Amino acid sequence: MKLRVFLLSLASLLLVALLDQLNHYLGPWQLHVWCGGLFVAFTALRLDFRTGAATSFIGGLLLDAGAPVAFGTHALLFLAAHAVIFNIRARAPREETIVGVIFALLANLGLFLALSFLRIDASPDAGAAWMRVFADLLVSQLVIALIAPWFFAVQARLLQLGGIDVRGVSRGTL
């Protein structure tokens, strides 16, 4: 389990670095991309609960480190999203990439709105802030739709390089 969590945490760290760079370049247009659903979807769909929960939690802590929220906010939200997806995953063909993308988009929507409701009170004009929130959400969803297949492949390849069969893990045989 430790190796799986370590490898997937490396992938999460890569995603954090790439998103930070993307947000830096989008700064002049006052847009912000947030892809929290990507930190949760693959692990919730394809891994056992403990490994996925640990990886999602660590991914949340990585985002908490650079965000203006109480430390642990992202981590707890990711843990909740992981639990929800894990409990409904039996009804979906979870090894299909398109299913992973859909779950990532839905998880991102839920997490984005939850985080927005937690932070909107810090805005001096909450009504006007919602327009920016929805613009950021739209851009974030588009980015997830574009990069989710790549990120899932990175995660699967890292596990494969570590000698871990993702299909065996998702079926509970390891």
Side-chain angles (χ1 to χ4, degrees):
M1 179 182 135
K2 291 178 186 176
L3 179 61
R4 286 179 272 185
V5 171
F6 175 73
L7 292 172
L8 292 170
S9 295
L10 285 178
S12 295
L13 188 59
L14 172 67
L15 183 61
V16 167
L18 292 174
L19 290 175
D20 285 346
Q21 286 299 309
L22 178 61
N23 285 323
H24 173 75
Y25 289 116
L26 290 175
W29 291 286
Q30 297 181 354
L31 290 173
H32 180 79
V33 172
W34 191 80
C35 297
L38 283 178
F39 291 91
V40 178
F42 182 86
T43 58
L45 289 172
R46 297 196 185 175
L47 299 176
D48 61 284
F49 185 79
R50 286 182 53 201
T51 302
T55 304
S56 296
F57 191 78
I58 290 170
L61 291 177
L62 289 171
L63 284 181
D64 280 333
V69 296
F71 194 70
T73 302
H74 287 97
L76 292 175
L77 286 172
F78 286 8
L79 199 55
H82 172 78
V84 169
I85 293 171
F86 186 86
N87 284 319
I88 62 173
R89 76 181 192 170
R91 296 173 181 86
R94 58 186 178 220
E95 292 174 357
E96 297 293 327
T97 302
I98 191 70
V99 172
V101 172
I102 291 169
F103 270 95
L105 288 168
L106 292 173
N108 196 66
L109 176 65
L111 289 166
F112 193 96
L113 291 176
L115 195 58
S116 295
F117 278 113
L118 289 173
R119 295 292 302 152
I120 200 71
D121 62 341
S123 175
D125 185 13
W130 279 110
M131 291 307 291
R132 174 161 181 209
V133 166
F134 287 124
D136 289 346
L137 177 61
L138 178 64
V139 172
S140 297
Q141 296 294 75
L142 289 172
V143 169
I144 286 178
L146 290 173
I147 70 169
W150 167 80
F151 188 62
F152 294 157
V154 167
Q155 290 176 308
R157 182 70 176 144
L158 279 173
L159 289 174
Q160 187 182 36
L161 289 173
I164 300 162
D165 177 29
V166 179
R167 290 180 183 261
V169 173
S170 69
R171 289 190 168 80
T173 59
L174 287 181

